[in-house]
Amino acid sequence: MAAVRLALPARRCSRLAAQAMAAVDLEALKKQTGYRAVDDFVKSGMIVGLGTGSTAKYAVDRVAEKLKSGELKDVVGIPTSERTKQQAEELGVPLTTLNDITSQVDVAIDGADAVDPGFNLVKG
């Protein structure tokens, strides 16, 4: 059986490899950030705002993981979108709404949409 070899110019290969590595690194950073937010700020008994987006998705994953393991107890989430609501329900995270709580949200986890030149995070 003859081997088939696809040849791309070296410069193009390097650029494609760099783009692939950047995508992998960015996704790893998003996961690390989402997990760290939960690990550092979410405690048992809290009402947690669950944001939407590629980084907040990992925070929802982490809340579910810690609830399942018993590391967190009595955490209730308030999703900011239907997509987050669906994800949390599928993962077994108890949910409520702002209209149904009698106290304040303890912490909300969401990503920034932009960062201005002064390093202020911008939402919306």
Side-chain angles (χ1 to χ4, degrees):
M1 178 193 288
V4 177
R5 186 170 174 202
L6 298 176
L8 292 172
R11 184 181 306 175
R12 181 144 188 248
C13 287
S14 296
R15 189 170 15 128
L16 290 173
Q19 289 171 344
M21 289 298 291
V24 169
D25 291 346
L26 181 59
E27 203 58 32
L29 288 171
K30 288 179 180 187
K31 182 176 182 178
Q32 181 181 9
T33 301
Y35 274 42
R36 180 82 183 261
V38 173
D39 293 346
D40 288 356
F41 298 104
V42 178
K43 309 291 181 233
S44 290
M46 285 187 161
I47 298 172
V48 181
L50 301 173
T52 301
S54 57
T55 303
K57 172 198 167 307
Y58 289 113
V60 176
D61 289 345
R62 185 65 166 169
V63 168
E65 191 177 284
K66 290 182 117 181
L67 283 167
K68 186 175 182 179
S69 74
E71 192 174 343
L72 286 176
K73 295 177 184 350
D74 302 318
V75 169
V76 178
I78 299 178
T80 60
S81 70
E82 285 298 318
R83 180 172 48 160
T84 300
K85 179 182 177 193
Q86 181 180 0
Q87 178 194 5
E89 287 174 340
E90 288 172 359
L91 294 172
V93 176
L95 298 177
T96 191
T97 68
L98 284 173
N99 294 331
D100 293 333
I101 61 172
T102 57
S103 61
Q104 295 182 9
V105 174
D106 295 298
V107 66
I109 301 173
D110 203 351
D113 296 321
V115 179
D116 74 10
F119 295 104
N120 297 298
L121 304 180
V122 179
K123 285 298 297 173

